[in-house]
Structures are given as structure tokens and as C-alpha cells.
Amino acid sequence: MSRASSQLRLDPNRCDRCGRCERVCDKGALKVGASYIFVDWQKCDACFECVDACDRGAIERKGATGARVAAVSAGKAARGQGAASAEAKGSGRGASSSTGPKPRARTVGAPVHWTLAEAAAVLAVTFAAFLGKDVLLAQKWVIALTPSSHVLARVAALAAYYAIQVGALLLLVRMRDRDFLESVRLRVPKVGWLERLASTGITLGLTGATLVAGFAYAFVAQEIGFVPDNPGVAELFGPNATGFFFSVMLVAFVAPVAEEVVFRGVLLGALQSRWPMWPSIIVAAAVFSAFHVSWWTLVPTLMVGIAAGWLSVRRTSLWPAITLHALYNLTLVTVAYAGAL
């Protein structure tokens, strides 16, 4: 049994389920749940990385004094600053540990503890922005614009829609006094090339499977007489090179980042802190699909949401899920414009 078992104090009431302690535990000895902190003392090697990572006092060394509290605050300020953070952690454990082997990145992404109230607030802002966008584009003076001006109005409305979502997230993160990239799992993890290769292979394979399933669904739906209920991107942005550019930028780059942060970063993170993995993934995917307000895309977007949700849970950041979403959208945009250009 590890000597840490007699030196650690665990207080689940102070824990905010940020997941930092789990990510720094090289042995996988630590598990944080909705109301517990579990340590497998047989695996624990008493490195106390979890103590340094926790800035809430949920994991402490017994006998910690006010100096420890000050050190935690300093570590919190330094976190997210690259080498400065590593140096602060090394100085807390002695010079020898700063030059030792670094912990391996875990392959399973720990959920960031967003509350259901925070997730509901983000979704409410997203829905309000969505309605505002549609109301604006339905105005008579907008409809009366020339085709090129109407496209620019649509681009501006979509850009504002995504900007409002990001703004709401920035506000919430600021209220939490947290690092934005870490809170929404956009910080690029420091992993080895084998881990990156595995993530790339899994992401590309899952993207291909999702595309095949999506095209198969579209074929069957059209065969039974189910027709699209929304205009395609070529109609929305214009069947020309300018329209293709706007489609790629908004649909294939901006939308995947904003939507994955909202639905997989915040909503799925909030659900996963309380429910098992698959119910959380499916519910987040269903909400994601419903937000597209289209019966034609309901099933394909649900499949994308489930695939992206699984990736976000099983990998160390949101970037594999964002990549899958972006590649899926880029393929659809390319196919839509193949016959228009």
C-alpha cells in the first residue's frame, strides 16, 4: 500500500470535478465522481501530482499549512503558462522531480465539471441567438436585398450567431475564474507521436464510417420519397466560388468548433458528471441534432453527434471530435458544390 494513504486528505465537498487530478495521475489510480474521490492505493506511487494539480483543496497532504494554500493559489495563477507551470510544480517537489520522466497523457478525456445550470444557460443563449438570426433574415428589407447582399447578410448573421455562443462561454469561464482553453477542452494535449497517430487513425476511420452511413441514409430517404426540407449550402451562399468560400469557412471550420464546444465540451461535460457515458453521449447528440431544426438532417446529425461524443470522451481533448465534425461538413459542402461550380 502506498505511503500516500496515510498522508492524503480527500474532501469531495470541495471538488469541482475539473479533472486535472485524473489527468496528471500517471498510474490511473485516481477516479473522481459526482460525490466522491477514489484512490486505488495499490496503484498510487505517492508522487503527489494530484495535490499540486488541485486548486480547490479537495486533495491535500495532511498537515498542510497556510503556506500550502498560498502555494496552491500561485500554482493556479501559473497554470496554463507552459514552462512556468511545470517549473512551479517542480519546485514544490524538489529539483530532482523536475528533471524526471513526465507523466504519460491519459487516453480517456476526463469530463470538465460544468453544471447542468451552466449547460442550460449556454443552450438558452444558443437557442435565442438562433431565433434572432432567423428573425433577422426573415425581415422584408433583408429579403429585398440583391442576391449578393443577401448572401453577405446571411454570412454576417451566422458569424454573429457563433460569436454570441463563444461570448457566453467566455463569460461563464470568467465567472468560474478558469482558463478558457482548458475549461472547453481546446488545449492541445502534450502526448507522444504514437498517441497522436492513434487519435488520427481513429478519427479518420470514424469520419469515414459516419459519412458512409450518412450517404446511405440520404439514398434510402430519397428512394422512399423523403425530400430535403431545407435549402442546401449552394442555395444559401450562392452557386459560385464566393459561395463555396463562405460555406467552407462557416460550415466546415467555424461551426464545428463552436458546436463541439457547446454540445460536447459543455453539455456532454455536464451530463457525464452525473450519468454513465452512453446515456450522456446520446442525450447530447439528440439535443445537437434537434438544434439543426430539420427532419432531413435529424438522423445524420444524430450520428455525427454520437461519433463526436464518443471521441470527446475517449480522447484527451475536443480536437478529434472537432476534426470529425469539420471533415464531415467539408465533404458535404464539397459534394454540394461539385455540380454547381
Side-chain angles (χ1 to χ4, degrees):
M1 184 174 291
S2 168
R3 65 186 177 91
S5 60
S6 61
Q7 296 186 32
L8 281 182
R9 180 187 294 110
L10 307 177
D11 187 351
N13 292 325
R14 294 185 177 184
C15 179
D16 64 356
R17 287 56 163 185
C18 67
R20 291 195 192 101
C21 56
E22 292 182 296
R23 290 195 289 272
V24 301
C25 184
D26 186 33
K27 300 297 183 181
L30 195 64
K31 184 68 177 178
V32 176
S35 59
Y36 66 86
I37 302 174
F38 171 76
V39 178
D40 186 339
W41 302 115
Q42 298 293 336
K43 292 182 179 180
C44 179
D45 61 359
C47 67
F48 300 111
E49 290 271 7
C50 56
V51 175
D52 292 331
C54 182
D55 62 9
R56 296 302 186 196
I59 306 177
E60 288 286 311
R61 295 188 70 164
K62 292 180 180 179
T65 63
R68 163 64 186 157
V69 176
V72 167
S73 298
K76 179 182 175 184
R79 187 175 286 112
Q81 297 179 5
S85 176
E87 182 180 350
K89 295 203 311 184
S91 63
R93 298 189 304 274
S96 60
S97 64
S98 64
T99 58
K102 296 181 179 179
R104 297 187 304 273
R106 300 184 69 199
T107 56
V108 179
V112 176
H113 181 62
W114 289 92
T115 67
L116 287 177
E118 289 172 327
V122 172
L123 291 178
V125 170
T126 300
F127 185 64
F130 182 87
L131 289 180
K133 168 183 67 68
D134 281 0
V135 168
L136 173 64
L137 294 177
Q139 296 299 308
K140 292 182 179 180
W141 66 269
V142 176
I143 297 175
L145 294 173
T146 63
S148 59
S149 297
H150 195 265
V151 167
L152 291 177
R154 184 174 288 111
V155 170
L158 279 172
Y161 165 64
Y162 293 123
I164 290 172
Q165 294 178 58
V166 174
L169 286 168
L170 283 169
L171 178 60
L172 277 179
V173 171
R174 184 182 181 88
M175 293 171 61
R176 285 165 135 247
D177 191 25
R178 291 299 181 86
D179 176 77
F180 179 76
L181 294 181
E182 182 177 324
S183 295
V184 297
R185 297 183 62 204
L186 288 182
R187 189 172 297 284
V188 178
K190 296 180 180 180
V191 297
W193 67 271
L194 283 176
E195 175 70 12
R196 293 187 184 279
L197 186 62
S199 289
T200 301
I202 293 171
T203 301
L204 292 178
L206 201 53
T207 302
T210 307
L211 281 167
V212 169
F215 283 124
Y217 165 80
F219 175 78
V220 172
Q222 288 179 325
E223 286 296 310
I224 63 176
F226 190 30
V227 297
D229 53 2
N230 278 332
V233 290
E235 296 177 64
L236 289 174
F237 297 104
N240 48 46
T242 302
F244 179 69
F245 172 78
F246 284 135
S247 297
V248 169
M249 293 303 298
L250 288 171
V251 178
F253 289 112
V254 177
V257 175
E259 291 176 352
E260 290 307 312
V261 166
V262 169
F263 293 101
R264 253 64 66 180
V266 178
L267 178 59
L268 180 55
L271 295 174
Q272 197 186 343
S273 296
R274 291 158 180 79
W275 295 353
M277 180 182 75
W278 280 111
S280 300
I281 290 175
I282 292 172
V283 169
V287 175
F288 165 71
S289 181
F291 260 79
H292 285 74
V293 197
S294 170
W295 288 107
W296 172 257
T297 63
L298 183 67
V299 173
T301 51
L302 180 64
M303 292 188 295
V304 170
I306 292 174
W310 184 86
L311 274 177
S312 72
V313 171
R314 300 306 302 175
R315 312 317 295 171
T316 55
S317 76
L318 274 185
W319 285 111
I322 292 171
T323 301
L324 179 147
H325 194 161
L327 290 175
Y328 184 93
N329 285 5
L330 180 61
T331 301
L332 296 186
V333 169
T334 302
V335 170
Y337 275 91
L341 295 178

